[in-house]
Amino acid sequence: MKHIDIKELYASPDKYVGKSVTVCGWVRTARDSKTIAFVEINDGTAFKNMQLIAEKGKVEEESLKSVMPVGTAIKAVGKYVESEKNGYEIQLEKVELLGACPDDYPLQKKRHTLEFLRTIPHLRARTRYFEAVFAVRDVLSHAVHGYFKRNGYKYIHAPIITGSDCEGAGEMFRVTTKDWNAKAKTESEYYKDDFFGKKAGLTVSAQLEGEMAAMGLGRIYTFGPTFRAEHSNTTRHAAEFWQIEPEVCFADIDDIIEIAEDFIKSIIRDTISACPDEIDFFDSWVEKGLKEKLNHVLNSDFGRVTYTEAVEILKKSGRQFTYPVEWGLDLQTEHEKYLTDEYFKKPLFVVDYPADIKAFYMKQNPDGKTVAATDLLVPGIGEIIGCSEREADLEKLKAAMTKRGMPLDGYTEYLDTRKYGSVPHSGFGLGFDRAMMYITGVQNIRDTLLFPRTVGTL
Ligand code: 4AD
Ligand code: MG
């Protein structure tokens, strides 16, 4: 269908002003008076709508009437002109109905609540809010790839179906082709005649495969869907989310912290410069002061504190927290928020967590109690990155696994990376959807995903 993108019209007015142009799109608003009609359309290419002006008598009446309902899909022909109010607009000559939109269309009003829009995820891409969300999601994804490309990382594709649980938190979704009523006495008997001949699940993290790739390719990253059957019904947990996981050889914990900070700043900078209209929109309507916040992040150093110091700060805060603060217990969201929102007031790396509350693969510190791991906490959200130097010593790694009751024979290939030419290496995982929340100010992870999957909702 020959037509011009609205984005192109706004971008190159010199080429089109005074000429006849054809555009397509969905009607966002329409007003009618005796002498004139205004129809605003959007085709998804530009954040800004295009206004069509129809002088009565100049456009065939029946066809004009047919395109007035909000949500109608149309094709329009007219002269592209400058206008005082809108910058540019189209003086309508001819309009054609592509798809009618009956009046039970749910998006009649100009503004709807996010809760309501969550009930119609298949239509919400037709609202300004979600247009902005998906524009930023696209740009942010490319910014991620751009950063790693510029810095010599190889993009690898790790499997989604896997037999090993990376985080060891028992949150894997199972993958099976067996009938629901299959009978078996033991777990291995049950899975023996399943599709893979053993228990399989959806990946909770691509890290283990990433490490194996890095141990030959040097620097890699993955960027893919990740699945966790957590029963956390919060605004920052999704059962299916996207994770970015770089893995870097010959890098210790300090090196990877430096990389993580540089990476976060780089993707924020790229997004601000590629999506100025969308960021303005979020700044005005979603999080007041968003631009200032992001610029502050770009222009200041992230904080750094040890877990042990963080526990002291929390204890001295005089705050009544719901969850206890004690050395050896994990930090809860309320603790993370106090540290980053109120105490440090900027992104914060908390380093050297107790080994017992972290995963088996993290490098054991000389103190015998903590591991070289860090979480990056950001104001308003809490943890967005989980990061660590990996335990490179085969015997220490095996001991950590045995302590956790993990079957060593299920991880033979992983252990081979430590057996054959082990090297210091480090990596992190950034929750992409949480990064979206941070950069846009969107409060609920459900509003950063096209079709959010959360407990009880598919
Ligand atoms: O801290 P996590 O569990 O770390 C890992 O999976 C490591 N294997 C990463 C690595 O070192 N390669 O998860 C990493 C990040 C979290 O910081 C969070 O941003 C995000 O993934 N995340 C979730 N995002 C949305 N919904 C959930 N249910 C999430 N669980 C983790
Ligand atoms: Mg974590």
Side-chain angles (χ1 to χ4, degrees):
M1 195 176 276
K2 268 223 152 64
H3 71 286
I4 301 170
D5 285 348
I6 292 173
K7 184 188 177 116
E8 163 75 3
L9 289 177
Y10 281 129
S12 315
D14 294 353
K15 220 165 125 187
Y16 300 105
V17 166
K19 299 205 174 112
S20 172
V21 296
T22 303
V23 289
C24 296
W26 293 271
V27 174
R28 283 289 172 82
T29 63
R31 281 183 296 130
D32 204 0
S33 75
K34 263 209 182 104
T35 53
I36 205 161
F38 301 94
V39 179
E40 274 191 33
I41 63 165
N42 192 294
D43 67 356
T45 63
F47 192 45
K48 203 171 160 195
N49 294 337
M50 179 58 70
Q51 174 152 279
L52 314 176
I53 304 218
E55 263 182 64
K56 290 293 173 67
K58 289 205 173 159
V59 183
E60 204 261 312
E61 208 179 312
E62 275 311 301
S63 58
L64 184 60
K65 217 169 126 196
S66 76
V67 305
M68 294 305 278
V70 172
T72 305
I74 71 169
K75 181 175 163 186
V77 183
K79 193 162 137 196
Y80 192 51
V81 295
E82 273 185 70
S83 97
E84 226 169 85
K85 199 165 149 268
N86 296 300
Y88 299 93
E89 60 195 20
I90 292 172
Q91 292 172 343
L92 200 61
E93 286 151 16
K94 213 172 93 189
V95 65
E96 186 186 320
L97 178 72
L98 295 179
C101 191
D103 61 11
D104 61 353
Y105 180 57
L107 298 172
Q108 295 290 342
K109 282 193 303 182
K110 231 180 165 174
R111 272 214 249 156
H112 298 270
T113 65
L114 292 168
E115 288 76 14
F116 170 70
L117 293 176
R118 258 171 242 149
T119 67
I120 48 165
H122 61 299
L123 292 174
R124 64 182 183 170
R126 297 189 191 189
T127 63
R128 277 183 81 64
Y129 191 99
F130 285 93
E131 236 187 289
V133 164
F134 294 121
V136 171
R137 222 183 142 99
D138 168 52
V139 161
L140 189 59
S141 307
H142 287 284
V144 166
H145 288 297
Y147 178 85
F148 290 122
K149 186 88 197 153
R150 283 194 302 278
N151 289 283
Y153 290 68
K154 288 205 170 62
Y155 175 36
I156 62 153
H157 301 117
I160 284 173
I161 301 176
T162 174
S164 56
D165 178 358
C166 172
E167 292 305 300
E171 289 155 352
M172 283 179 95
F173 284 100
R174 259 188 260 166
V175 175
T176 179
T177 52
K178 287 194 70 154
D179 284 349
W180 63 275
N181 60 353
K183 285 196 181 83
K185 285 201 188 68
T186 63
E187 197 180 70
S188 59
E189 189 185 310
Y190 178 88
Y191 290 112
K192 207 161 73 199
D193 62 347
D194 201 351
F195 192 89
F196 297 105
K198 62 182 199 178
K199 191 172 173 179
L202 297 179
T203 185
V204 297
S205 160
Q207 179 191 323
L208 303 188
E209 293 87 358
E211 281 187 62
M212 297 180 210
M215 288 299 207
L217 303 173
R219 280 207 288 288
I220 63 92
Y221 72 105
T222 66
F223 184 178
T226 307
F227 308 86
R228 292 194 189 172
E230 286 168 294
H231 282 269
S232 324
N233 203 353
T234 75
T235 53
R236 22 173 248 144
H237 286 89
E240 179 176 321
F241 63 97
W242 285 68
Q243 202 182 168
I244 296 144
E245 299 189 273
E247 197 65 39
V248 188
C249 284
F250 319 109
D252 63 18
I253 186 76
D254 294 324
D255 298 323
I256 198 74
I257 285 178
E258 214 175 281
I259 293 170
E261 179 168 341
D262 186 44
F263 165 68
I264 293 285
K265 287 180 174 169
S266 161
I267 60 176
I268 291 179
R269 201 178 299 118
D270 287 358
T271 303
I272 296 176
S273 86
C275 290
D277 295 347
E278 287 82 356
I279 296 292
D280 277 347
F281 172 85
F282 289 120
D283 189 71
S284 313
W285 300 102
V286 179
E287 180 181 329
K288 289 258 177 313
L290 175 75
K291 285 207 286 198
E292 205 185 307
K293 172 187 95 177
L294 295 176
N295 280 318
H296 176 63
V297 169
L298 293 181
N299 296 316
S300 58
D301 293 333
F302 293 6
R304 182 168 168 163
V305 67
T306 65
Y307 165 88
T308 305
E309 288 161 352
V311 168
E312 286 310 309
I313 292 170
L314 291 166
K315 280 189 164 171
K316 284 191 196 137
S317 68
R319 277 302 162 89
Q320 282 297 323
F321 294 112
T322 312
Y323 292 91
V325 179
E326 210 51 67
W327 200 97
L329 297 179
D330 210 354
L331 300 180
Q332 301 295 326
T333 307
E334 55 175 350
H335 309 137
E336 295 178 343
K337 284 199 164 177
Y338 175 80
L339 290 169
T340 184
D341 294 21
E342 294 181 47
Y343 194 88
F344 287 92
K345 296 195 167 67
K346 60 180 178 177
L348 173 70
F349 287 104
V350 179
V351 297
D352 297 333
Y353 280 86
D356 290 345
I357 56 170
K358 288 289 182 186
F360 71 95
Y361 51 73
M362 297 176 175
K363 185 179 167 67
Q364 297 156 34
N365 284 331
D367 64 13
K369 291 189 303 190
T370 61
V371 283
T374 182
D375 282 355
L376 175 63
L377 315 179
V378 296
I381 296 172
E383 178 194 338
I384 61 167
I385 279 182
C387 172
S388 63
E389 179 170 346
R390 318 309 190 185
E391 182 52 72
D393 182 282
L394 179 62
E395 293 313 317
K396 283 189 186 164
L397 182 59
K398 279 196 203 160
M401 295 171 79
T402 308
K403 197 173 161 199
R404 287 168 175 78
M406 295 170 66
L408 295 188
D409 56 358
Y411 292 81
T412 335
E413 293 89 352
Y414 183 67
L415 291 169
D416 274 355
T417 57
R418 300 342 193 232
K419 186 174 165 193
Y420 304 122
S422 187
V423 297
H425 63 289
S426 303
F428 65 81
L430 168 69
F432 182 74
D433 319 274
R434 287 196 190 165
M436 276 292 297
M437 292 169 72
Y438 187 54
I439 293 174
T440 58
V442 169
Q443 293 281 312
N444 195 318
I445 199 163
R446 292 166 181 77
D447 300 329
T448 69
L449 286 148
L450 187 58
F451 290 103
R453 272 75 173 96
T454 52
V455 58
T457 313
L458 184 69

